[in-house]
Amino acid sequence: MATRAAVAAPHVLRRFFCSNSASSTFPFVPTPPAGAVPTPARPTAEPNTNLFVSGLSKRTTTEKLREEFSKFGEVVYARVVADRVSGYSKGFGFVQYATIEDAAKGIEGMDGKFLDGWVIFAEYARPRPPPAHLNNNSPPFGRQ
DNA sequence: GGTGAGCGC
């Protein structure tokens, strides 16, 4: 006698998964802030001659970046970061003024403004580690 | 092919 046993209805099992009582208060509080945070993630760097410009269009080039920022101060260095292989712009760049006060005027004059149809954001760039070009061979990973 | 938050070779 081969009596096919009826398979358990899957809809009955739904009740087990629908029992979501995870609304209980866990003893673990995922909220670390018990006061003022001394080290925020990225509050913007301190005033310097280097400016970080983001929100650039993919078609915005370095010379265009310098040209626009040169109207608010003396730009001694400007570059749009692009991939070294493909050559396409990453959408952000750096502008360095001769003085910090020129950099401040550059931010006030270009931050939130339109450039090639995109709203750009100019702010002080972070201090980056030195290129360490003392040695020609500078492998990113040192041997043990 | 060219995105859409970001920090450069």
Side-chain angles (χ1 to χ4, degrees), chain A residues 96-116:
Chain A
Q96 184 178 18
Y97 282 96
T99 59
I100 299 177
E101 60 183 359
D102 286 341
K105 292 186 295 182
I107 294 177
E108 294 296 329
M110 291 301 298
D111 182 61
K113 299 301 175 59
F114 283 89
L115 184 58
D116 290 340

Side-chain angles (χ1 to χ4, degrees), chain A residues 15 58 62-63 97 104 106 143:
Chain A
R15 294 179 181 176
K58 303 298 181 181
T62 297
E63 58 183 2
Y97 282 96
R143 293 180 181 175

Side-chain angles (χ1 to χ4, degrees), chain A residues 45-52 76-81 92-96 124-133:
Chain A
E46 61 183 6
N48 57 83
T49 56
N50 269 354
L51 262 59
F52 173 72
V76 296
Y77 180 78
R79 160 175 273 191
V80 173
V81 179
F92 66 91
F94 294 90
V95 176
Q96 184 178 18
Y124 296 106
R126 302 174 185 170
R128 71 148 196 269
H133 54 83

Side-chain angles (χ1 to χ4, degrees), chain A residues 6-19:
Chain A
V7 293
H11 66 275
V12 180
L13 298 177
R14 290 181 182 175
R15 294 179 181 176
F16 292 95
F17 295 96
C18 291
S19 59

